[in-house]
Amino acid sequence: MSVGFRFPSAEWCQDAIRRAEADPESGAASDGLSVSICCVMTREKPVLPEGFAFHLRVEGHHIRDFRVLEDVEEADELSPDYLAKASYSTWKSLLKGQLDPVEAVLL
């Protein structure tokens, strides 16, 4: 996880994007991709009283058009290629490596 920034926040996401683009393995994994992705963290009181969502486009080795959505419902309206929606605690467990991504899909 990115350190030094509150999770989730625009600053945290931008730091994660910077780190991903600097990682040669990440670049190799995204070679040839051109997809739009929305990630939604559903609210979980008291740690995340309001939901948080962002949209980005991956084009090859670069992440383009990143923006935090004003309303989590906007994620559905954008009709992204991939929509990942989970609770705050599920996202945090994924990012800490405490939850297997395949298991998370089955939750």
Side-chain angles (χ1 to χ4, degrees):
M1 280 183 44
S2 294
V3 292
F5 300 100
R6 182 180 56 82
F7 173 79
S9 68
E11 296 81 15
W12 186 93
C13 292
Q14 290 165 339
D15 186 54
I17 289 168
R18 182 188 58 75
R19 290 170 185 248
E21 287 190 330
D23 182 352
E25 289 182 24
S26 176
S30 64
D31 192 30
L33 279 180
S34 181
V35 296
S36 63
I37 302 167
C38 278
C39 294
V40 177
M41 283 148 243
T42 56
R43 68 185 194 155
E44 189 173 309
K45 293 182 180 183
V47 290
L48 189 65
E50 298 297 324
F52 180 84
F54 63 88
H55 176 264
L56 54 83
R57 176 168 292 287
V58 177
E59 292 179 2
H61 300 280
H62 300 285
I63 297 172
R64 309 272 189 225
D65 304 324
F66 166 78
R67 70 181 174 107
V68 172
L69 305 179
E70 290 184 31
D71 182 351
V72 295
E73 300 302 320
E74 191 179 346
D76 291 322
E77 296 166 12
L78 289 170
S79 299
D81 297 316
Y82 296 97
L83 174 62
K85 187 183 280 188
S87 69
Y88 167 85
S89 57
T90 298
W91 279 105
K92 197 156 185 177
S93 293
L94 278 167
L95 293 168
K96 286 183 167 185
Q98 299 169 336
L99 178 62
D100 181 85
V102 175
E103 284 183 45
V105 170
L106 300 175
L107 289 178

